[in-house]
Amino acid sequence: MASKEELEAAAMSLFLGIGLEETVAKNATKNPKFMKTLEEVVHEAGAASGCPKAKGNLLYTVASKYPANALCHRPMLLGYIMCEHMKSNAQLDGAFEYLRKVGTMDVDKKQLEEAAGVGVVVTPDQIKAAVAEEVEANKEKLLAERYRVNINILLGGVTRKLKWADGAAVRATLEAAVESLLGPKTEADLAPPEPKKKVKAEKPPPTPKEDKPAESAEPAAPAVPDDPYSFLPKPDANNGVHTTVNFSDGRIMRVANTPDALLAHLARMGGKVVTRFPPEPNGYLHIGHAKAMFVDFGMAKQYDGVCYLRYDDTNPEAEKMEYITHIEEIAKWMGWEPWKVTYSSDYFQQLYDFAVQLIKTGHAYVCHQTKEEIEASREKREPSPWRDRPVDESLRLFDDMRRGLIEEGKATLRMKMDHKNENYNMFDLIAYRIKFVEHPHAGDKWCIYPSYDYTHCLVDSLEDITHSLCTLEFETRRASYYWLLEVLGLYKPVVWEYSRLNITHAVMSKRKLNKLVMGGYVHGWDDPRLLTLAGMRRRGVPPTAINAFCRDIGITRNENIIQLPRLEHFIRSELDATSPRALAVLRPLKVVITNMAADHFQEVEAQTFPGREHSEAVKVPLTRVVYIEATDFRLKDEKDYYGLAPGKSVMLRYAYPITCTGHTVDPATGAVTELTATYDPDHYTAGKKPPKGVLNWVAQPQPGVEPPTFEARLYDTLFKSEDPGSLDAWLEDLNPESLVVLKGCVATPALAAKAKAGARFQLERLGYFAVDIDSKEGALVLNRTVTLKESKPVSLKK
């Protein structure tokens, strides 16, 4: 097989031979798909040995702009070019427009020639008259600006009047008319224009700076388009965007809907966008599926269309009702409402009938090769020994397969495609295999099950899908997708592939996720360290944040890995707007306020959303004993440290300043176990300036009564590396600190009272937390969803 460099060199020689400029020819070889198309056009035109430059440029235009739904008529159009009945791009544009409407239907040559102006003669007198009219209309501008007027603007005005005129003749006549009006070019005309002086705009007066809370100082997300799906064709244009299937013997299958097939589809669906979200029910959905839902459900919603939730359930050995139930429930949690919930297994009878039709038309056969034998013959491009067995024999054996008369693994039904094709997905793919397994949805009716490659395109067609959207790894399956629909004469959806979603420090392969769950490396499919949607929900991530993230990253074909902080930005943004603030302490350090009476009880007012109109006041008890974060005390004060230290004052959030007056140290460990402090009850009445440091805290709700406690689960990335999926020993990359469990954390009574499973809070200075489903009466568990942007863990210093 020739190397890439050899193929490009051969193409370059071919393109130069038809008169293309070297730069144009070189650029054509940089795009493999276009290079191949232009090569096909040159050979179809019979110009492989060369042709005049004018014809070569027209061949280039055909390769660039020819409507894909009418490729079967391309050789005919090239004949018009080579015999010089079509000599301009304007004629080609007219022909393209006509052919786009005709598609694969028969061409009326008279109508084609009328659309392309074939045989229309524009005389020199007509050109001269049109040019004179255009020059007269622009005379004042020409006299004022002379040869600095853009001649192409005038040229466009003439060609709009004389659509089929020869472009070179029009330009020559126009240039002569302009010179006749202005005379020969002077030195001033030939001199370069003077650069325009830039006028500095006056600077607006500076706007006063506003104080913003630190937690909202995160950078704004980049703007996203109002319609991320606008580049995709509308349903009434989906007969022009399909494909060609190339065969190893040189044949080319031109695949597109006929106008009649398209009209019938539009009539059935009322011209609506129809998409489908087709997960296989063999595991839990992850954030990559959230992107797919955004693409499928989102496009239908954008255009007032409909979207199916279709279970791609063709492999009963791997599928469970647990997964089926989860998928429907999690899709609704994500905010998507399916138009209909269907199963590929709903169509098993129709799929079987299509298989019989394939056998009868010589497009399928029963094969007895094992999986290993098929793989070996595939590598050698050798056909199955049973590829040419008689139709009647294949029909009988396929019926025996259906009735359970052949052992599992002893026979398959294979599609008769192209065993020598460069695309392995055209290598006589398996359509049906025998599996004596009960199906979770269809029951025990069938013992033969269709493959994904056979099923997916057929069900897309049966459900009148307009846009079959999938990830890039399915791109090579386009050929087999359209081949099957074409040989069965079925309606064809538009297929378009986009890049998979990959996020740093995570794996999203179902195989790897299954290994993590079944191997006990995590605590189930909903472990909050996983980017499964169940895990993210349990961690406290709102579905609106996930959808906003999916919208932001867009729907492109660029393969890349998204940085985790980009996802966290949208999570924080949503939680900042919706999560009420609360006070809690994760690592409690006891503080006794010595100038308070032992029975002192007071309630201060905290705020659910400080500084916002919809904020509500919450009563928080303040008593002689309070708890602060152990990390907020140091034995030695330092510059830019705003915590507590001996002799230093800090503010208790919503309450009073306290000053540290002493501390107790455990003689065995050296750890600080208790602080003493005084508070300033006159702080507000005296109008004193508050200290810079502000601490979160929790007091005893009543003198001598300890505050409610909870368990905090602090989550970090599950893997140490950015791209663990690329590592051979990926399980060795697990982060040993991906989960830190803190017990004995303390909360205010108000927080404990509102802490129902799923509730979300911002624990001030600590991050965003959600109540875990493990919570029970008197045993609260909070999961940290995400940290505050500016929060940094600080070690206790002595």
Side-chain angles (χ1 to χ4, degrees), residues 494-513:
V494 171
V495 173
W496 193 81
E497 302 89 2
Y498 55 89
S499 60
R500 288 174 66 96
L501 175 56
N502 295 300
I503 297 180
T504 55
H505 303 285
V507 294
M508 280 179 281
S509 148
K510 277 189 177 179
R511 181 181 61 81
K512 287 184 168 67
L513 287 171

Side-chain angles (χ1 to χ4, degrees), residues 349-394:
Q349 184 59 54
Q350 288 159 284
L351 297 177
Y352 177 82
D353 294 340
F354 283 137
V356 172
Q357 182 180 336
L358 284 176
I359 297 171
K360 288 180 177 179
T361 56
H363 290 108
Y365 60 95
V366 172
C367 176
H368 303 291
Q369 283 187 302
T370 64
K371 180 181 178 183
E372 292 74 19
E373 288 170 338
I374 290 174
E375 289 175 354
S377 60
R378 186 180 192 179
E379 290 295 328
K380 298 175 184 177
R381 300 290 203 279
E382 292 178 349
S384 162
W386 292 276
R387 196 172 197 267
D388 296 318
R389 78 186 324 157
V391 168
D392 289 345
E393 191 176 320
S394 281

